[in-house]
């Protein structure tokens, strides 16, 4: 079944051909063919290929990265767009959908590490089209994770709105939309439920499946400007430790960590979202299953409130570049010394 | 230093200027004088811009930093080096193709970045081909290089390259493997080049580009990191020595700046030299890179013109080294002696000033007597010029001053002097350049700059603008300004004023667009050096333009220790640009100004041609 965004692409390729480079002819067709190919030949095998590549690290038992995950990312992006077809041009929808399709496909070549950088051959081979256009799609997809260079994770800042064949598209927003939609695309459908029940998940991957399994609902509420997450935990799951890479962790701690990371991602991606689509809170509801009430629900809302809290303790930590003069951050005493020296030179 | 018999081969010119790119490691090592104490940042990890005029020794510095020279310098094997440098020359006709303008509307950054990346990658591997032919350490690690080439192939495939991928034979040695990689990089480069050429024949549309696309972060940077990690490489950053980056187009400098903005310096540091024409410091996202946050900046001109002693010391060491290589055991001062007769006469004038026989504005002050002595001596020659008596430009210090902080200018003068000496059939002693030869070469050189080099440029433009006699070109206006300044400074030197050593002008108000353009052009051509000083009101800074000392002999000015400057209004500058003869004649009438010019740091009020002075 075609996702809402895919339907919009189909409609817009007919209704606004001028929004596409060199007319819309071929864009939807090309997308449909590309999508079919990936849904049949690539996405179903991402988990298997990654498992083989990462088997030595014990990291290969990923949560679902198949066609279902791609659909979920598309739905979350649609949710984040407020179910409006007016935010993106037809051409931007095309760029977004193709980028969503390839964003995780690199697992097949590299396994988990560096997967975001490994999808370009697939794009060139299967989408055809112009290498430049493909490179833009690649950049949108590639920005969903990883680092620019070691120690620098600020990928979105490297993207700028670009034209292709005189058709402009908002690359930073599209990349931020994909990145945040992917962040929200974890839920119980991604967990290997039966294997979990059988205790078959390898130790390093246990908690990732447990987290996904517990996450029953992800809702984007644009009116409240928040994302609402609902977790349901069984008493068993709430009281045992799950394997996480080489260590162990309680599920609640994992939920706290992951939702906090989600909030960070939210703040980061929202820098590139238009005002009417801003999300500024992650609302979390954790309930416990059982015949009798085993524990009261735990609800929290991640949102900036009160007096702002920053990691930085001084303006120079936020904008040192602007305050640096002759290799030193300017302060009162430095300014005094500089002025006095200048005056002396003129005497 | 005592003279001794030497094994001088007089036919070998010790000052011949060789292109650093074309000389061997041994030759570079023999010629190079360590200047890194002046430019320490260049050899430390970190992105660096090295600005300096053509011929100021930037390329030689880069040549010395290459691994083959460092092996001779450090006497250590490659893994012990502090960096691994690769030389990346940027020629005018290389990357900045005229036809590239067509892709401005079609992914200019992506395709220009691909060109830069594939060009630099090609240079890296070509360089490794040559290096690995001469040094066995590479072949000792053939296995590691064979594993590296597989990673290289993967990256090439990822870039979308569909050209032929050669098979690496089992017995391939290091140079062969590096050559394969260099060839593929050439293929990557050609992908875009062929596309651009195709565009020439198509108007109003862009056919799809189906070639490869290599970016810095997904191709070049990881390749260099993987290269750096090979066991035979230094455990230190790779330096890309990008020479003459001002030959890149604006899109390419924007891309290069974006690379500078990445914090990759521990793995890859960019060392970028420019000839002072690198004007764009913005990145692709529009945010400018800034020093010292993103990069360090070194300017050879600033260092060598602000500290003349430092420059003189460097040139002296260069001369000594070159003379030693030629078997001549003399110091620079001994090889380029002063004119002793002239020196004695100037001293006579100094004595006469001290004794009170000649009256100067500062009386009989011993220190200041020498300041006026040269001026008085030149004045005394004026009536004798018909008999051939003129001031002689001779002596090492004098040539150093005339070379204006640019080492190649010095070497060119020295080389010409030596050639002139060779041409003298009567010459027998090749271990000294007589003052008469020095003077002749210096004067010819200075006049050549104005009469030949400069006039050529003007003639070229005049030919293009035939029939527009009244509309002086910018070059002609600049020439007028230089003649006006030279004439005015000469008038000051020959005056009875207190400050006779004037060689620069300072702006007392804001120059209009035309004047500003002419001044900028003068800086670009190297006729002026731009600096700033406190304005007349003491409320801020204003620009000062120093005439290049290479022009001093053409105007019979003294090239040493110019201390004062002339405050000048925009209106006066317009006169100087329009009519040098009128400007100089008006200037001479302004007696009060000549009598009390501006010493540095003590600006005073007063327009050049204010009516009350006439």
């Amino acid at each position: 079944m075609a996702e809402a965004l895919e339907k919009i692409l189909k409609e817009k390729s007919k209704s606004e051909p001028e929004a596409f480079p060199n007319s819309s002819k071929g864009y939807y067709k090309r997308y449909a063919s590309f999508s079919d190919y990936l849904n049949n030949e690539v996405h179903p095998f991402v988990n298997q290929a990654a498992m083989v590549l990462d088997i030595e690290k014990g990291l290969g038992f990923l949560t679902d990265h198949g066609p279902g995950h791609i659909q979920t990312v598309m739905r979350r992006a649609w949710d984040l767009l407020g179910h409006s077809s007016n935010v993106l041009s037809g051409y931007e929808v095309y760029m977004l959908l193709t980028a969503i399709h390839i964003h995780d496909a690199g697992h097949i070549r590299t396994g988990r590490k560096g997967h975001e950088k490994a999808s370009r051959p697939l794009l060139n081979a299967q989408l055809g089209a112009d290498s430049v256009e493909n490179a833009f799609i690649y950049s949108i997809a590639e920005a969903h994770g990883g680092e620019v260079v070691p120690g620098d994770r600020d990928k979105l800042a490297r993207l700028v709105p670009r034209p292709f064949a005189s058709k402009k598209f908002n690359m930073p927003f599209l990349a931020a939309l994909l990145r945040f939609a992917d962040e929200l695309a974890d839920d119980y459908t991604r967990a290997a439920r039966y294997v979990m029940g059988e205790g078959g998940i390898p130790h390093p991957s246990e908690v990732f499946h447990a987290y996904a399994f517990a996450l029953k609902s992800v809702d984007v509420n644009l009116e409240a400007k928040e994302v609402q997450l609902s977790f349901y935990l069984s008493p068993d799951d709430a009281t045992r430790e799950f394997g996480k890479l080489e260590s162990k962790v309680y599920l609640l701690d994992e939920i706290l960590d992951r939702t906090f990371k989600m909030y960070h991602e939210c703040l980061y991606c929202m820098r590139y979202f238009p005002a009417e689509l801003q999300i500024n809170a992650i609302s979390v509801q954790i309930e416990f299953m059982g015949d009798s009430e085993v524990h009261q629900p735990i609800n929290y809302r991640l949102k900036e409130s009160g007096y702002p809290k920053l990691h930085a303790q001084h303006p120079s930590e936020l904008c040192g570049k602007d305050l640096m003069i002759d290799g030193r951050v300017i302060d009162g005493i430095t300014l005094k010394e500089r002025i006095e020296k200048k005056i002396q030179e003129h005497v | 230093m005592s003279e001794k018999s030497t094994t001088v081969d007089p036919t070998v010119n010790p000052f011949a200027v060789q292109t650093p790119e074309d000389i061997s490691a041994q030759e570079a090592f023999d010629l190079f004088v360590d200047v890194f104490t002046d430019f320490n940042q260049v050899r430390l990890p970190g992105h660096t811009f090295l600005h300096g005029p053509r011929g100021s020794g930037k390329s030689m510095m880069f040549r010395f930093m290459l691994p083959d020279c460092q092996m001779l310098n450090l006497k250590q094997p490659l893994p012990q080096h502090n960096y691994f440098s690769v030389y990346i020359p940027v020629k005018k006709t290389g990357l900045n193709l005229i036809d590239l303008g067509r892709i401005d509307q079609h992914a200019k950054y992506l395709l220009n970045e691909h060109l830069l990346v594939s060009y630099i990658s090609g240079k890296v591997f070509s360089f490794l081909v040559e290096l690995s032919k001469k040094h066995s350490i590479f072949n000792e690690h053939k296995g590691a290089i064979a594993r590296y080439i597989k990673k290289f192939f993967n990256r090439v495939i990822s870039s979308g390259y569909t050209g032929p991928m050669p098979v690496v034979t089992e017995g391939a040695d290091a140079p062969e493997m590096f050559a394969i990689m260099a060839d593929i990089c050439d293929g990557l480069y050609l992908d875009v080049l062929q596309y651009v050429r195709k565009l020439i024949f198509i108007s109003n549309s862009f056919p799809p580009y189906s070639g490869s696309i290599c970016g810095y972060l997904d191709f070049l940077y990881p390749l260099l990191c993987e290269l750096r990690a090979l066991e035979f490489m230094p455990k230190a950053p790779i330096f890309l020595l990008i020479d003459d980056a001002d030959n890149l187009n604006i899109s390419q400098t924007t891309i290069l700046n974006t690379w500078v903005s990445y914090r990759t310096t521990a793995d890859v540091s960019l060392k970028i030299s420019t000839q002072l024409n690198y004007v764009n410091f913005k990145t692709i996202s529009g945010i400018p890179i800034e020093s010292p946050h993103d990069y360090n900046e070194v300017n050879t001109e600033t260092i060598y013109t602000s500290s003349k002693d430092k420059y003189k010391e460097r040139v002296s060491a260069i001369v000594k080294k070159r003379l030693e290589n030629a078997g001549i055991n003399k110091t620079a001062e001994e090889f380029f002696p002063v004119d002793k007769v002239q020196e004695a006469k100037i001293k006579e004038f100094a004595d006469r000033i001290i004794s009170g026989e000649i009256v100067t504005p500062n009386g009989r002050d011993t220190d200041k007597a020498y300041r006026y002595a040269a001026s008085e001596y030149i004045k005394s020659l004026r009536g004798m010029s018909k008999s051939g008596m003129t001031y002689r430009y001779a002596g090492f210090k004098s040539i150093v001053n005339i070379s204006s902080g640019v080492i190649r200018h010095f070497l060119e003068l020295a080389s010409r002097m030596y050639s002139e000496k060779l041409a003298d059939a009567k010459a027998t002693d090749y271990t000294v350049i007589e003052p008469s030869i020095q003077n002749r070469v210096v004067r010819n050189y200075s006049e050549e700059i104005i009469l030949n080099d400069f006039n050529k440029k003007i003639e070229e433009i005049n030919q293009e603008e035939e029939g527009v006699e009244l509309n002086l070109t910018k070059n002609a206006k600049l020439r007028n300004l230089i003649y006006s300044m030279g004439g005015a400074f000469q008038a000051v030197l020959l005056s009875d004023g207190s400050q006779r050593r004037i060689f620069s002008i300072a702006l007392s108000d804001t120059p209009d667009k035309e004047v500003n353009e002419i001044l900028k052009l003068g800086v670009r051509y190297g006729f002026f050096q731009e600096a700033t000083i406190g304005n007349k009101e003491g409320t801020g800074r204003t620009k000062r333009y120093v005439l290049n000392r290479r022009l001093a002999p053409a105007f019979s000015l003294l090239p040493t220790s110019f201390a004062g400057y002339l405050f000048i209004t925009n209106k006066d500058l317009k006169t100087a640009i329009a009519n040098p003869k009128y400007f100089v004649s008006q200037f001479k009438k302004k007696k009060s100004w000549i009598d009390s010019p501006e010493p540095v740091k003590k600006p005073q009020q007063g327009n050049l041609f204010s009516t009350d002075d006439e």
Side-chain angles (χ1 to χ4, degrees), chain B residues 3 6 8 330 335 421 426-434:
Chain B
E3 284 189 39
T6 59
V8 180
K330 287 210 166 178
F335 193 77
K421 177 99 187 191
K426 292 177 192 163
T428 52
D429 180 8
Y430 294 97
T431 65
V432 67
I433 304 287
E434 288 77 6

Side-chain angles (χ1 to χ4, degrees), chain B residues 410-441:
Chain B
F410 179 91
L411 290 176
E412 201 176 328
L413 280 167
S415 175
R416 286 186 189 195
M417 288 172 190
Y418 194 85
S419 297
E420 188 129 330
K421 177 99 187 191
L422 281 182
D424 181 357
K426 292 177 192 163
T428 52
D429 180 8
Y430 294 97
T431 65
V432 67
I433 304 287
E434 288 77 6
S436 58
I437 294 179
Q438 294 180 49
N439 178 56
R440 195 161 55 243
V441 169

Side-chain angles (χ1 to χ4, degrees), chain A residues 4-14 20 27-28 31-32 89-91 93-95 97:
Chain A
L5 277 169
E6 292 174 310
K7 287 178 188 162
I8 285 168
L9 174 61
K10 191 175 184 181
E11 285 163 20
K12 290 206 174 200
S13 66
K14 289 178 189 163
F20 293 83
Y27 269 91
Y28 179 72
Y31 169 75
S89 71
Y91 186 50
V93 175
Y94 168 81
M95 303 293 265
L97 288 175

Side-chain angles (χ1 to χ4, degrees), chain B residues 509-577:
Chain B
D509 53 9
T510 308
D512 65 19
K513 193 179 166 215
E514 183 198 29
V515 169
N516 204 30
E517 278 177 3
I518 303 302
L519 289 168
K520 273 187 180 171
L521 191 67
V523 173
R524 215 179 104 203
Y525 285 168
F527 291 119
F528 306 138
Q529 189 210 335
E530 194 178 279
T532 61
I533 49 155
N535 64 14
K536 288 200 294 186
E537 296 78 18
T539 54
R541 309 287 293 172
T542 187
K543 283 188 176 168
R544 182 161 73 106
Y545 293 89
V546 187
L547 195 63
N548 191 303
R549 284 165 175 74
R550 288 196 298 157
L551 300 172
F555 295 105
S556 295
L557 301 169
L558 294 173
T560 48
S561 310
F562 298 106
Y565 53 87
L566 166 66
F567 259 117
I568 187 163
T569 62
N570 181 62
K571 194 179 159 198
D572 296 337
L573 272 172
K574 287 183 92 67
T575 309
I577 285 167

Side-chain angles (χ1 to χ4, degrees), chain B residues 379-415:
Chain B
K379 278 198 288 188
S380 76
L381 294 175
R382 294 202 82 193
M384 303 161 75
S385 59
K386 282 178 189 165
S387 59
M389 286 290 287
T390 54
Y391 181 82
R392 272 187 169 179
Y393 294 92
F396 173 66
K397 193 178 168 190
S398 185
I399 308 169
V400 166
N401 282 326
I402 288 166
S403 69
S404 303
V406 177
I407 286 161
R408 192 178 298 170
H409 292 162
F410 179 91
L411 290 176
E412 201 176 328
L413 280 167
S415 175

Side-chain angles (χ1 to χ4, degrees), chain A residues 109 120 130-132 158 160 321, chain B residues 107 158 208-211 213 285:
Chain A
R109 291 184 68 218
R120 197 185 275 179
D130 190 303
S131 300
V132 172
R158 306 291 177 190
V160 286
K321 181 171 169 172
Chain B
S158 293
Y209 170 68
S210 56
I213 291 186
S285 54

Side-chain angles (χ1 to χ4, degrees), chain A residues 169-228:
Chain A
F169 57 96
N170 191 341
M171 187 140 71
F173 173 49
L174 293 177
L177 182 58
L178 190 162
R179 186 175 171 124
F180 197 47
D182 187 41
E183 185 65 32
L184 301 182
D186 235 358
D187 67 16
Y188 70 100
T189 60
R190 291 189 88 183
R193 284 154 282 183
Y194 180 73
V195 185
M196 271 181 79
E198 293 295 312
I201 308 283
H203 178 277
S205 302
E206 266 184 355
V207 78
F208 305 119
H209 288 266
Y211 173 89
F213 182 67
L215 180 53
K216 304 302 180 194
S217 160
V218 178
D219 294 303
V220 176
N221 185 339
L222 277 178
E223 209 168 302
K225 296 183 181 298
E226 66 176 25
V227 172
Q228 294 158 349

